[in-house]
Amino acid sequence: MPSASFSSSRSYVRRSRRKGGHRIPLPSRTQSSEPCESVPCPNNVTGSAMAATACAGPSGSGGGGSGGAPPVPAAPAAATPAGHHSPYDLRRKSPPAYHEPGPSGSCSLPARKRPRTSLSQGVDVCNVSQYLQYELPDEVLLCILSHLTERDLCRVAQVCKRFNTIANDTELWKSLYQSVFEYDTPLMHPAPCQFEFVAPDECDADNPWKESFRQLYYGIHVRPNYRPKKDSRIKHFNTIRAALEYVEERSGVSCSSGGSCSCGGGGSGSVSASGGGSGSAGVCSCRRTPAPPPALLFVHAGLYQEECLAIDTDVQLIGCAPGNVAESVVLEREAESTLTFAEGANRAYAGYMTLKFSPDATSTMQHHKHYCLEVSDNCSPTVDQCIIRSASVVGAAVCVSGAGANPVIRHCDISDCENVGLYVTDYAQGAYQDNEISRNALAGIWVKNFANPIMRRNHIHHGRDVGIFTFENGLGYFEANDIHNNRIAGFEVKAGANPTVVHCEIHHGQTGGIYVHESGLGQFIDNKIHSNNFAGVWITSNSNPTIRRNEIYNGHQGGVYIFGEGRGLIEHNNIYGNALAGIQIRTNSDPIVRHNKIHHGQHGGIYVHEKGQGLIEENEVYANTLAGVWITTGSTPVLRRNRIHSGKQGVLEENDIFRNAQAGVLISTQSHPVLRRNRIFDGLAAGVEITNNATATLEHNQIFNNRFGGLCLASGVSPLVRGNKIFSNQDAVEKAVGGGQCLYKISSYTSFPMHDFYRCQTCNTTDRNAICVNCIKTCHSGHDVEFIRHDRFFCDCGAGTLSNQCQLQGEPTQDTDTLYDSAAPMESHTLMVN
């Protein structure tokens, strides 16, 4: 469609028409090759407006009358920026004093009102034009101009300075703009596939409504049953399909070179401002002018059903309505994909609309390969500000599949779908930014089969399954996403998948945070992982991820849980405030744990059990309620150069282990560690305790200033001890026994002093009950008692757990042999139904 001149320049040719013996110059009807700064042009000029146009002075005259009439000053309102004043904030010019016509035939209106006369009575047209051009009130002119189309409005702006000021009035253009586009706020279109609403008072343009009109003028409108103004050059269609067919027809127009140049004689579907076709953006060799942008289709408010939209050209579809645009423009299908982008849609766009896929559940037609939005091989569309809803239980709402599929999907709401929200597969890529993905029945996001998307700043929450699921060699870069309140893990990695996850917040999962299993990989760096119901990170079944520089805290169970032959590199993390162990290693798992800070846990720091292994070096483990490091049940980790302090237990080579509330090193249950060149000191219990038939090798350690003793061995324990220095320990247990105290007085139920324990057959105590020697002498005097062994216990008599009340006065207690293990994770169920 021809473009209107949007500039205020007077680049028109002189034309003449004879009327009443005068030659009246008229503005040129020829169009500028480029849109001018004014705007589009309205309908034909009629009535007084045409008369005003007819009386325009010659080109470049600045708005004077015919002959030698004195110039009339410009309207004072021009001093105020035209873009932001009220429509009536224009000057009211007082009638000038009457002057006799000069010898050159110049004339002016009298100061007093003259009687009306018609042109047929021989009145000089100059007087009429003078009045219309300079004396007609601004309000009247505004009313007249409000009936014009954008094209004629631009022509009027070229008449004179006064007309230019009035024709560029902000409210005038706002009214015209909203009648055509219906938007409440100007929509700027600075580049292909870029649209953004800008508040008028925040826009740099003097007249934001006019500037938006200029940028959007070449668009085609889909507006069912709409009748545009007479002579409007803006194309309107009743259906999207009809508009697309028009675009395809126009794209077949040949260029002036006969199709021999690089533009291809019309290109692949883009439509210029003049309605012609062109190739991709660039310069046409036949005319050496910039190629126009892709075709632009405005889809106005309404429900568009059963239109099969498969886009394989560069066309831009954007919703067009007042209020919430996306909610007002709805595209819906019951069979086949609602909107499909295929090869060739390299600069295509869909924005500000609702896409719905609502298959009939009773229909026999298969739709498991159909989606609400589908992006296939070798295309790179942009999908922006869309609401996406799918009722299909057998397919994702959004499917991006195939090599070369590289869309941009941003600011979309993909929620309340009955399957996966976003599915990226088969080597597809793409950028996915600032989307809301929530309350979907299965995974919020699926990535598989070497797909490698970039996902930034997405909000993924309250899913009925896992938040993000990468599997079967899926890749991807995930940055600054907020993932929370999903029913299973926030992020699940499985079967060779290798995502990179940075600066994300993964929290309040109904089970856990990150779950890596079945040979999963991945790099998890600089994330915040907190407040999950199970462990913050699970690693199992030969998986080997990197967990680096994360904060893992306030979990309702453990921090990092490695089990079932899991591996992984766990380094430089800050792990604190978890209900169970900061790091737990079990069942033949063999991770590398280094340079972490593990502190203020409600149980232990590092817990290695059930044949756990691993290299644990240069960590700082402190202020945990139970053991700093607890190694048990056949586990054989290697510990080097750790600082383990201020906890309530603690563990093998060149470590500083100090100020623990329980044993500095506890070796138990068939473990066989080597402790070499450690410093174990200032503990509030024993320095080293070995129990439950464990053995150990202790070489060249320094064990000093511990409250319950340096090296405490249970019955039947025979470690290899050589070259150690054990000195200045306090032996508080022996002092308490010698003073006749119940040992519960010095241990409570949080530590376990190693000494002789007994049972009372008279009181029918079991092997799990232990009574200290002083309670045997006092509370159970004359009873049938027996020696159990020398080992670490607290006194059940003093704790008040026996039927007889302790005469040495104790306190109530609780069982410390409660669950220390993190719960086993659940797995995503998405594979069952896709």
Side-chain angles (χ1 to χ4, degrees), residues 524-541:
F524 297 87
I525 303 169
D526 293 311
N527 302 287
K528 290 185 177 181
I529 305 163
H530 66 91
S531 308
N532 296 286
N533 281 352
F534 288 4
V537 179
W538 293 312
I539 303 171
T540 185
S541 52

Side-chain angles (χ1 to χ4, degrees), residues 494-757:
K494 179 180 178 180
N498 190 16
T500 299
V501 182
V502 299
H503 301 295
C504 292
E505 188 168 0
I506 304 171
H507 59 106
H508 290 92
Q510 295 181 35
T511 57
I514 296 169
Y515 180 27
V516 188
H517 61 120
E518 295 186 27
S519 302
L521 301 168
Q523 293 77 47
F524 297 87
I525 303 169
D526 293 311
N527 302 287
K528 290 185 177 181
I529 305 163
H530 66 91
S531 308
N532 296 286
N533 281 352
F534 288 4
V537 179
W538 293 312
I539 303 171
T540 185
S541 52
N542 293 301
S543 296
N544 192 20
T546 296
I547 312 295
R548 179 181 294 129
R549 293 197 306 274
N550 302 282
E551 286 197 37
I552 306 170
Y553 60 99
N554 292 353
H556 297 174
Q557 291 191 4
V560 180
Y561 180 25
I562 310 164
F563 64 104
E565 300 182 345
R567 291 178 291 153
L569 173 61
I570 319 297
E571 65 178 3
H572 296 289
N573 300 285
N574 189 13
I575 304 172
Y576 60 93
N578 297 286
L580 299 181
I583 296 178
Q584 183 179 166
I585 305 169
R586 60 183 286 249
T587 53
N588 297 306
S589 295
D590 191 15
I592 297 173
V593 180
R594 61 162 67 110
H595 303 298
N596 300 284
K597 295 176 72 173
I598 306 165
H599 58 100
H600 290 94
Q602 298 176 37
H603 278 67
I606 300 175
Y607 180 29
V608 188
H609 63 123
E610 296 184 34
K611 299 183 180 179
Q613 303 175 58
L615 172 62
I616 303 171
E617 63 179 0
E618 298 183 350
N619 302 283
E620 185 168 10
V621 186
Y622 62 96
N624 297 285
T625 301
L626 298 181
V629 177
W630 188 358
I631 301 173
T632 185
T633 54
S635 301
T636 58
V638 175
L639 284 84
R640 297 194 184 110
R641 296 181 297 280
N642 299 282
R643 288 171 53 83
I644 305 167
H645 60 95
S646 302
K648 286 198 172 181
Q649 293 183 31
V651 147
L652 273 165
E653 187 172 80
E654 299 179 358
N655 300 287
D656 275 353
I657 304 170
F658 57 98
R659 287 201 299 272
N660 293 286
Q662 291 202 24
V665 177
L666 172 63
I667 305 170
S668 175
T669 317
Q670 301 179 0
S671 297
H672 311 284
V674 175
L675 278 72
R676 183 179 294 121
R677 294 188 298 278
N678 300 284
R679 293 184 352 127
I680 305 165
F681 59 97
D682 291 346
L684 300 181
V688 177
E689 291 186 330
I690 307 176
T691 184
N692 290 351
N693 298 312
T695 61
T697 299
L698 281 68
E699 297 180 335
H700 308 293
N701 301 283
Q702 296 184 45
I703 306 172
F704 59 94
N705 200 30
N706 297 284
R707 184 176 176 224
F708 287 176
L711 176 60
C712 300
L713 307 177
S715 299
V717 171
S718 301
L720 177 60
V721 180
R722 57 172 174 250
N724 300 285
K725 295 182 178 179
I726 303 173
F727 59 95
S728 300
N729 294 287
Q730 300 173 25
D731 295 328
V733 174
E734 296 304 321
K735 293 179 180 178
V737 171
Q741 290 181 290
C742 172
L743 294 190
Y744 187 80
K745 288 283 190 181
I746 66 169
S747 69
S748 183
Y749 55 85
T750 58
S751 61
F752 306 88
M754 186 170 284
H755 66 294
D756 292 342
F757 280 95

Side-chain angles (χ1 to χ4, degrees), residues 123-200:
V123 178
D124 194 338
V125 174
C126 178
N127 290 334
V128 177
S129 65
Q130 189 94 354
Y131 179 76
L132 294 176
Q133 193 166 351
Y134 299 109
E135 306 302 333
L136 191 67
D138 298 333
E139 292 83 356
V140 177
L141 270 177
L142 278 169
C143 181
I144 294 171
L145 298 187
S146 67
H147 296 282
L148 301 185
T149 66
E150 66 285 346
R151 295 167 56 82
D152 290 333
L153 195 57
C154 288
R155 291 191 179 106
V156 170
Q158 295 176 344
V159 171
C160 64
K161 291 182 178 179
R162 182 187 178 211
F163 276 29
N164 181 275
T165 299
I166 297 175
N168 281 290
D169 179 71
T170 301
E171 293 297 322
L172 184 65
W173 276 99
K174 177 180 178 181
S175 177
L176 176 62
Y177 178 90
Q178 292 183 334
S179 70
V180 175
F181 296 101
E182 299 190 280
Y183 295 130
D184 296 333
T185 304
L187 178 69
M188 298 302 172
H189 181 31
C193 301
Q194 294 184 23
F195 297 87
E196 58 181 8
F197 287 101
V198 179

Side-chain angles (χ1 to χ4, degrees), residues 102 110 235 240 257 306 330 401 403 432 515 522 544 564 578 654 722 738 782:
K235 289 290 184 181
I240 300 173
S257 68
E306 302 308 320
V330 181
S401 174
Y432 308 81
Y515 180 27
N544 192 20
N578 297 286
E654 299 179 358
R722 57 172 174 250

